[in-house]
Amino acid sequence: MIFHVLTIFPEFFEGPFAHGVVKRGREAGLLDIRIHNLRDWTSDAHRTVDDRPFGGGEGMVLKPEPVFQAVESIWPERRSDQKVALLSAQGRLFDQAMANRLSRDAEILLICGRYEGVDERVAEHLADKEISIGNYVLSGGELAAAVVIDAVARLLPGVLGNDNSTAFESFQDTGHGGGLLDCPHWTRPAEFRGWKAPEVLLNGNHEEIRRFRQRAAREKTIRLRPDLVGGQEPGT
Ligand code: SAM
């Protein structure tokens, strides 16, 4: 899969993808991340990407021309499996189900807003969707783009090494009563400061361990995220 990111801060992305499974996935050729500088699609000496909002008010707005030109030059003819997503606090909330859907596309181009946001014509006439990573306002779409890429990349075949790994992760609905939180995990030492890891995990009985984990995942979901099993949204 190819991820494109359109940003005025390309250097932001030097860090987030230089570690762990995403880095290894890139090196193995399982995914490609291409960072594009929005200013490359400006034509004035100052490489202007923003302007004042019509109607007055605070801040600046990213202009439509460089954004449209960038997308149209990256994909002169766009296929249906090449998606454009605008990162926006006003978008649909990003979750594991959306990550799964995005992982089935061949390419996605993520537009990072800044300042007061992006000229609305980008959302209306260029982007396939607006994606929010949570009900709060960030200073720019870069962090959100990194979150989306990381969550989607780990779902791509081969990226985690063992494709079954994602099936047991939190929120992953496998169609067998999934969509719960992952079960809790323990590692050595078996006893730490008097707190013991559950005995059943040490006994080597795979069937018992499987049943314990299923029960523990369900209990933890009910305790921390009852909304996932039809209960009330937890308070903060
Ligand atoms: N004026 C906008 C509003 O109130 O909805 C906020 C603009 S924000 C300061 C600048 C950019 O950050 C946005 O255009 C968007 O790209 C990004 N952004 C902010 N919050 C986000 C969120 N929760 N999810 C995804 N992107 C976000």
Side-chain angles (χ1 to χ4, degrees):
M1 180 168 183
I2 304 176
F3 299 88
H4 300 267
V5 181
L6 190 58
T7 173
I8 60 169
F9 294 123
E11 62 283 2
F12 176 95
F13 294 95
E14 282 162 18
F17 308 124
H19 314 275
V21 292
V22 176
K23 177 186 177 210
R24 286 201 298 278
R26 292 178 89 176
E27 286 169 352
L30 300 167
L31 62 120
D32 190 4
I33 301 172
R34 301 182 189 170
I35 309 298
H36 306 274
N37 188 342
L38 182 63
R39 292 190 197 280
D40 291 346
W41 285 277
T42 55
S43 45
D44 62 313
H46 300 290
R47 308 182 84 199
T48 309
V49 290
D50 59 331
D51 208 335
R52 289 189 302 278
F54 281 132
E58 291 301 306
M60 302 294 273
V61 175
L62 287 181
K63 293 159 66 63
E65 302 97 313
V67 180
F68 273 78
Q69 277 168 24
V71 174
E72 288 161 2
S73 83
I74 293 167
W75 294 327
E77 282 170 39
R78 182 149 42 122
R79 299 190 315 258
S80 62
D81 60 357
Q82 293 172 314
K83 296 280 162 47
V84 176
L86 173 65
L87 279 322
S88 160
Q90 301 159 13
R92 284 276 301 278
L93 273 186
F94 183 64
D95 60 9
Q96 193 68 22
M98 196 191 289
N100 275 300
R101 280 197 300 279
L102 294 176
S103 74
R104 294 194 274 273
D105 285 315
E107 296 186 44
I108 182 168
L109 191 155
L110 299 162
I111 301 169
C112 302
R114 275 275 155 182
Y115 316 124
E116 283 310 307
V118 184
D119 185 288
E120 190 64 15
R121 285 164 286 198
V122 169
E124 286 180 352
H125 304 293
L126 183 65
D128 295 296
K129 55 171 72 85
E130 291 182 65
I131 300 178
S132 166
I133 63 157
N135 292 333
Y136 39 76
V137 178
L138 300 164
S139 311
E142 286 77 9
L143 270 172
V147 166
V148 170
I149 292 173
D150 190 282
V152 174
R154 58 188 289 110
L155 296 172
L156 299 175
V159 169
L160 288 190
N162 172 6
D163 287 338
N164 271 334
S165 312
T166 55
F168 301 105
E169 286 189 318
S170 296
F171 314 114
Q172 198 69 5
D173 192 341
T174 53
H176 305 290
L180 302 177
L181 298 181
D182 189 9
C183 63
H185 302 281
W186 289 263
T187 185
R188 276 184 282 272
E191 183 171 344
F192 170 69
R193 296 187 177 176
W195 299 302
K196 290 184 177 160
E199 200 72 41
V200 58
L201 296 177
L202 313 177
N203 74 10
N205 182 327
H206 295 298
E207 182 52 25
E208 272 185 34
I209 291 172
R210 192 189 62 77
R211 274 191 271 125
F212 170 83
R213 285 184 165 154
Q214 224 171 36
R215 203 171 50 246
R218 196 160 183 84
E219 280 167 9
K220 192 163 186 187
T221 307
I222 291 166
R223 183 160 49 86
L224 296 183
R225 292 294 307 274
D227 52 308
L228 294 176
V229 283
Q232 289 257 309
E233 188 103 20
T236 48

